[in-house]
Amino acid sequence: MAFFKKRENIPEVDFQHLPHHVAIIMDGNGRWAKARGLPRKAGHAAGAETFRTIATYCRDIGLEYLTVYAFSTENWKRPADEVASIMDLLEKYLVEAIGKIERDRVKMKFFGDLSQLNERLRRLCLETEEISKRYEGCQVNICLNYGGRDEIVRAARAFAADCAAGRADPAALSEESFSDYLYSAGVPDPDLVIRPSGEQRLSNFLPWQSAYAEFYFTDVLWPDFDQRELCRALAVYQRRSRRYGGV
Ligand code: IPE
Ligand code: IPE
Ligand code: MG
């Protein structure tokens, strides 16, 4: 890959056999900023740049799906000025992304309850999704005001409503048909879930979809995460043996 200057340092990745779907919990922005004596929002700004780098790289290496955790249903507990700065960054990011979508050819989707976002941001998300429909190639799912349990409860509610209306039958519900009620409908489950920043928990990220995912944890903080770190994770993933309960 052109990005690496010294070939000997390339983590050994078989780019012909990449996982179909990689999911990342973009964590550690606050600690990255603190370590530099910067306000937390500077960490979020740096994290947004990392997202741009990683999404572009995933597209370049031919990854089919990338899903990132940008803002959780729990993140509203943060101070109002931090929430506002994250929302501002998201707006700025989407305005830029919309301008470059023709060139970047990354298909974007949002997983989460967008109705709680401010009107401008919500419209930007919908516009981005609409334009994205024209593109094939790497699909980037951005989890925004996303919570895994919330997603499952919404799905259950929608299924119950379909049953009440005679459109669905409880006896016919399967894991596959239930999946169609989730934000991730139509997207294969993540093969690999990466969490930087040293935390080893899911924090309500894709609990249904990650039931059989491989996990990769690293102490690197998200703003410091780069193509090489992603390749490390991919290389580790490729050495794992996925048995799905078999032998
Ligand atoms: C992740 O970084 C970004 C969001 C949750 C929006 P954090 O802000 O959680 O960074 P730390 O965990 O405090 O370092
Ligand atoms: C998870 O990170 C959410 C996102 C990265 C968007 P948090 O920093 O919010 O998770 P906890 O609080 O450490 O569990
Ligand atoms: Mg965090």
Side-chain angles (χ1 to χ4, degrees):
M1 291 282 113
F3 165 77
F4 299 108
K5 295 208 176 65
K6 290 194 216 132
R7 281 203 72 80
E8 63 274 19
N9 286 341
I10 301 176
E12 275 187 38
V13 178
D14 175 356
F15 289 99
Q16 303 309 313
H17 297 94
L18 290 173
H20 298 285
H21 184 174
V22 174
I24 307 181
I25 300 173
M26 305 190 291
D27 194 19
N29 296 349
R31 279 162 284 173
W32 182 92
K34 190 168 182 223
R36 284 162 181 74
L38 297 169
R40 292 180 62 87
K41 70 174 184 193
H44 297 309
E49 283 312 311
T50 300
F51 167 63
R52 205 189 301 275
T53 305
I54 294 298
T56 306
Y57 186 64
C58 286
R59 181 207 59 191
D60 290 347
I61 61 176
L63 194 83
E64 291 165 65
Y65 297 93
L66 171 69
T67 301
V68 295
Y69 208 1
F71 193 87
S72 75
T73 46
E74 289 71 34
N75 287 146
W76 297 105
K77 291 178 196 155
R78 296 186 179 206
D81 64 328
E82 179 172 348
V83 171
S85 68
I86 294 171
M87 296 300 160
D88 283 351
L89 274 165
L90 283 161
E91 270 187 41
K92 194 167 147 259
Y93 188 90
L94 290 182
V95 168
E96 285 173 26
I98 287 171
K100 291 191 306 201
I101 210 158
E102 194 82 44
R103 190 198 74 194
D104 289 351
R105 298 188 166 271
V106 168
K107 190 184 174 85
M108 284 200 261
K109 279 205 78 157
F110 294 89
F111 293 176
D113 178 12
L114 303 185
S115 73
Q116 301 302 307
L117 306 177
N118 77 53
E119 185 61 16
R120 255 195 338 267
L121 181 55
R122 203 174 62 80
R123 279 176 186 281
L124 280 169
C125 292
L126 297 178
E127 190 185 341
T128 309
E129 282 193 334
E130 196 51 41
I131 301 173
S132 290
K133 284 184 187 155
R134 292 189 226 138
Y135 299 102
E136 294 302 326
C138 186
Q139 176 172 327
V140 179
N141 306 306
I142 300 178
C143 295
L144 184 49
N145 192 22
Y146 172 89
R149 288 188 168 184
D150 179 63
E151 177 184 35
I152 294 168
V153 168
R154 281 163 187 279
R157 215 183 274 143
F159 173 69
D162 277 352
C163 290
R167 291 188 296 265
D169 169 13
L173 186 67
S174 64
E175 292 180 13
E176 287 72 26
S177 62
F178 187 71
S179 295
D180 288 339
Y181 286 91
L182 300 173
Y183 294 124
S184 57
V187 174
D189 288 341
D191 301 294
L192 171 64
V193 175
I194 299 173
R195 183 163 194 162
S197 93
E199 311 299 352
Q200 303 196 0
R201 53 177 171 262
L202 269 184
S203 302
N204 209 7
F205 184 52
L206 305 176
W208 171 280
Q209 297 87 341
S210 299
Y212 246 111
E214 295 294 325
F215 290 87
Y216 177 86
F217 299 105
T218 169
D219 289 339
V220 171
L221 302 171
W222 176 247
D224 290 329
F225 196 92
D226 60 9
Q227 295 95 327
R228 194 181 302 273
E229 294 301 331
L230 180 67
C231 285
R232 283 207 176 97
L234 292 171
V236 167
Y237 169 83
Q238 288 179 332
R239 290 198 298 271
R240 301 252 178 101
S241 159
R242 301 185 77 186
R243 289 186 291 277
Y244 298 101
V247 287

